[in-house]
Amino acid sequence: MTEKLVFVKYPSLTNHYAIMKDKTIVNYLDKSVYTTEKLHGANISIAFNKDLNYYLASRRRILKSESDKLQFKGLIEFFDKHKDFLKDIATQYFTKDIKQVHFFGELYGAGIQRMDYEENINNTTSVRFFNIILLKEDGKLIKTDHNTFCELLPESLQVPSKPGGILRYLITRDDNEIKDSALGGEGEGVVYQPVGEYEIVEGHFIGIKHKTNDFSEKRQKQIVETALTAEQISILTEIESRVTLQRIHNVLSHGDLKLETKNFGDIIKAVQTDIINEINREVDG
């Protein structure tokens, strides 16, 4: 009996100006990441199981209705052309514990979004992929290694790559440094990701989108007020590193406060005082 394919939605990306809200991404601030162009089109996916049965999907659902098929005609035509090649790649990822292989990408060009891409000018559409994610038999999701992704897929099927670097500095760049599209005209922005394979735990994805002001979901003024410089991020990271469970235990060990709900505010104040005193000692020293 053929096993039914499970729909997997692409995980959400984190805005570059909001990474301090995500402790896992903060841990990547001083690590090297790769950069890809964020294409402006329609998010799509193609999935295979071990029997090489497949589905085509939009960001939210598997394409089934006639209206879906009409809207994503470009994806269907692309798949018909590249079906055998994609099956060959999927086969290379299947092991005993891998249940499905998911190609995530962007359908773009004429009739999708108004851009100055070559496909828009030529009145055609195409698909480029940005990730391959694996669904394991136990339900866990694995984001695959980017170097392997690049080896398996020709450049013409990948979203364009841009120079990578240390995340802390990449996110401080202005629009002029990220706006040019390799496909023509001005692009939507870029995406930063770690190179290596990792497990996506509880939908937590290490992907940072850095859109230009013209394409941001927020107004330009809000972005300017919210965005952080590399120095500000360093300060916040330093502050966060001092708020630890061990420090709380040390404060409580003084015996002045008990770990009770009614003392919550006083405990916070005591921890703040302890941090301030520690910083003052370091400065004086």
Side-chain angles (χ1 to χ4, degrees), residues 15-132:
N15 286 304
H16 76 288
Y17 52 79
I19 63 173
M20 292 307 297
K21 298 178 181 178
D22 191 312
K23 291 184 178 180
T24 302
I25 292 180
V26 167
N27 291 332
Y28 281 83
L29 273 173
D30 292 308
K31 295 181 180 180
S32 181
V33 294
Y34 70 92
T35 305
T36 53
E37 182 175 337
K38 192 175 191 309
L39 296 187
H40 192 45
N43 192 230
I44 58 89
S45 64
I46 300 171
F48 294 94
N49 64 11
K50 289 183 177 179
D51 296 322
L52 295 181
N53 294 313
Y54 63 88
Y55 71 64
L56 309 183
S58 66
R59 180 171 180 81
R60 295 179 175 82
R61 62 185 178 275
I62 296 174
L63 305 185
K64 294 180 179 179
S65 70
E66 290 305 313
S67 61
D68 280 345
K69 293 175 183 178
L70 181 61
Q71 182 181 356
F72 289 88
K73 179 183 177 182
L75 171 60
I76 295 172
E77 293 175 347
F78 172 89
F79 182 70
D80 287 342
K81 181 179 179 181
H82 297 89
K83 181 190 304 183
D84 292 337
F85 176 70
L86 295 175
K87 283 183 176 180
D88 288 342
I89 294 178
T91 300
Q92 297 184 55
Y93 280 105
F94 280 119
T95 59
K96 184 177 180 180
D97 63 341
I98 299 301
K99 183 176 183 178
Q100 294 177 190
V101 176
H102 295 257
F103 296 79
F104 286 97
E106 201 82 4
L107 171 67
Y108 67 98
I112 311 301
Q113 297 286 356
R114 289 187 177 182
M115 298 295 287
D116 292 323
Y117 298 148
E118 184 177 345
E119 285 78 2
N120 290 77
I121 294 172
N122 294 334
N123 199 33
T124 61
T125 63
S126 190
V127 170
R128 289 182 181 245
F129 298 104
F130 40 75
N131 270 323
I132 294 177

Side-chain angles (χ1 to χ4, degrees), residues 221-261:
K221 181 179 179 181
Q222 291 176 305
I223 295 174
V224 171
E225 292 175 346
T226 310
L228 299 173
T229 65
E231 181 180 5
Q232 289 172 326
I233 291 173
S234 295
I235 294 171
L236 288 174
T237 304
E238 179 64 23
I239 292 172
E240 184 181 44
S241 71
R242 295 176 187 265
V243 183
T244 64
L245 185 60
Q246 185 58 51
R247 185 183 297 276
I248 295 172
H249 285 314
N250 290 340
V251 169
L252 293 173
S253 69
H254 298 161
D256 299 325
L257 295 167
K258 291 184 178 181
L259 190 57
E260 298 176 350
T261 304

Side-chain angles (χ1 to χ4, degrees), residues 173-206:
R173 296 182 297 171
D174 62 28
D175 284 5
N176 289 327
E177 298 174 272
I178 66 171
K179 70 178 183 179
D180 292 335
S181 171
L183 304 183
E186 292 188 3
E188 182 177 348
V190 294
V191 175
Y192 310 121
Q193 296 185 71
V195 173
E197 176 181 297
Y198 66 89
E199 180 184 340
I200 303 172
V201 180
E202 297 180 352
H204 187 87
F205 187 66
I206 309 169

